[in-house]
Amino acid sequence: MKHFAAGLLAAALAAPALAQQAPPLPRTEFNVVGTIGTLSMYQNIEVPFWTRTIPEVSGGAIRVQLRPFTELGFRGPEIFRLVSQGTLPFASTVLNYNSGEVPINEAADLVGLFGSVEELKRGLDAIRGPYAQFLEQRHGIKLLGFGTYQAQLIYCRDAFTQISDLRGRKIRASGASQQAFVQFIGASPVNIAFAEVQPALASGVVDCGITGALSGYRARWHEAARFLSPLPVNFAVVGHLANLRFWNGLDARVRELLERELRKMEEAIFEQAKSETEIGIACNTGTGPCPEGQPASMRLVPLTPADEALRKRAFAEAVLPEFARRCGGECIRMWNDTIGRLVGVTAR
């Protein structure tokens, strides 16, 4: 009897320890379409996140096939639609690529709205909840986080001394907000894919282009463009998106793990973006150390008070009114209640 009682006691003591050992996650495999394959967001953060971090923290249960959209024949704007349709289960994409069809995608990244990555992050945090609900209800998309490139700057082939000198030039602009800005300064916006811009600059199809300070260096825009303005136009916000039906079909513990880890990836992306504007300017112009490689010799066009004033006027007189017109009543109420309240601006 004593041996029997001792056995019951040992079993009772062992039961809590056994209960604490959660069963392994179910084996889960899916494809992810990443951002621009030549740039630092993809190479430095997305690749190690999906190929090392997620397999490790899931105990090998979650395996992902990752490819950047630039290697899959996509141009960019179609990614959002393909996630919504379920053709792509998971993708990270620049949200303003699709702002012509879905204006609220550009809500936090309007030209002239924010002047730093820190300000942008606060704006995205303000609108995150209502925007996520909108994506689920209207587009069947689960929002799993944000990212951003560094400040978007203006690269030009020919000389200029201030932004107003760009009147009459053809400027590559991505997203409706950049296009409204380009039109406001009297230039012509041209919508072409990122990978096509460098040869377009070289051949004269476009005179200038807008992209990230480091992104343009990595894509070798400096081989055709000789002049760079440090004016922060906007930032190119990325959304990490999953098809909602696919997402709801995953095991609940897999969803919990992915949500937690993707928010960590978001923080890493924003930390990287903070320093990349200065690094990009240094690499393009040779005005400072370039950890990315051989510095180029673009001429940095000094920012003038007139440039800053022009950007503010463009936001107030063209960018925000055009966004409100495209966005509509329900959308603009969401903007006013979140980002508008944060910055003290009401769109009408």
Side-chain angles (χ1 to χ4, degrees):
M1 179 66 70
K2 289 182 179 179
H3 292 301
F4 180 71
L8 286 177
L9 178 60
L13 291 173
L18 292 172
Q20 291 173 5
Q21 295 179 3
L25 294 174
R27 187 164 182 81
T28 305
E29 297 182 359
F30 55 93
N31 296 328
V32 173
V33 174
T35 56
I36 298 170
T38 58
L39 302 186
S40 56
M41 186 186 300
Y42 181 82
Q43 295 181 352
N44 297 350
I45 296 181
E46 291 175 73
V47 170
F49 176 81
W50 288 114
T51 62
R52 293 203 299 270
T53 301
I54 290 301
E56 287 173 4
V57 299
S58 68
I62 304 175
R63 297 287 179 177
V64 168
Q65 292 292 324
L66 172 69
R67 293 281 298 280
F69 82 86
T70 46
E71 291 182 8
L72 294 171
F74 296 126
R75 293 175 58 83
E78 71 273 45
I79 301 296
F80 183 93
R81 293 194 302 273
L82 293 174
V83 175
S84 178
Q85 295 164 3
T87 306
L88 299 178
F90 200 113
S92 296
T93 184
V94 176
L95 291 171
N96 70 23
Y97 284 169
N98 200 254
S99 60
E101 297 177 33
V102 187
I104 197 65
N105 281 355
E106 206 169 20
D109 202 23
L110 299 173
V111 172
L113 177 58
F114 295 124
S116 70
V117 171
E118 291 85 356
E119 291 176 6
L120 173 65
K121 184 69 164 62
R122 288 194 290 271
L124 289 168
D125 285 339
I127 201 172
R128 187 188 302 267
Y131 177 61
Q133 185 177 25
F134 166 83
L135 289 182
E136 291 190 22
Q137 294 176 350
R138 298 294 181 86
H139 296 278
I141 287 175
K142 174 71 175 180
L143 175 69
L144 290 162
F146 293 109
T148 187
Y149 289 102
Q150 61 281 171
Q152 304 287 289
L153 309 183
I154 302 174
Y155 295 67
C156 286
R157 191 179 59 249
D158 300 321
F160 66 99
T161 57
Q162 56 186 13
I163 302 301
S164 60
D165 294 342
L166 303 182
R167 174 178 296 275
R169 300 193 194 185
K170 301 186 295 293
I171 303 177
R172 181 265 185 173
S174 64
S177 172
Q178 284 189 8
Q179 292 169 3
F181 170 73
V182 169
Q183 289 176 326
F184 183 80
I185 65 175
S188 301
V190 180
N191 185 15
I192 57 177
F194 179 83
E196 299 170 7
V197 177
Q198 201 279 338
L201 282 165
S203 64
V205 172
V206 295
D207 303 302
C208 307
I210 302 173
T211 197
L214 187 55
S215 305
Y217 171 80
R218 283 196 160 197
R220 309 191 70 82
W221 284 23
H222 53 81
E223 291 182 352
R226 306 300 301 160
F227 297 86
L228 180 69
S229 168
L231 179 77
V233 176
N234 59 347
F235 291 90
V237 170
V238 166
H240 306 301
L241 313 173
N243 175 267
L244 187 60
R245 183 176 297 178
F246 158 78
W247 178 256
N248 289 338
L250 295 175
D251 182 270
R253 292 173 301 146
V254 171
R255 295 199 302 265
E256 181 183 357
L257 181 147
L258 288 174
E259 283 191 280
R260 181 180 68 246
E261 296 302 321
L262 280 158
R263 287 302 293 270
K264 294 179 184 178
M265 183 174 82
E266 175 181 305
E267 293 300 323
I269 290 173
F270 276 89
E271 283 301 315
Q272 176 176 270
K274 288 178 184 178
S275 62
E276 286 191 335
T277 299
E278 292 182 4
I279 292 173
I281 290 174
C283 288
N284 276 306
T285 62
T287 53
C290 177
E292 294 285 320
Q294 184 68 27
S297 57
M298 293 186 72
R299 182 175 300 176
L300 188 65
V301 180
L303 199 61
T304 69
D307 291 335
E308 290 284 9
L310 181 60
R311 188 180 66 149
K312 291 178 181 178
R313 277 181 39 229
F315 174 73
E317 298 177 23
V319 174
L320 186 60
E322 174 63 12
F323 171 71
R325 183 192 65 76
R326 291 183 292 109
C327 211
E330 180 183 355
C331 166
I332 210 63
R333 281 193 293 275
M334 185 198 303
W335 193 90
N336 283 334
D337 290 344
T338 55
I339 294 171
R341 182 172 297 171
L342 176 70
V343 300
V345 173
T346 300
R348 305 189 184 281

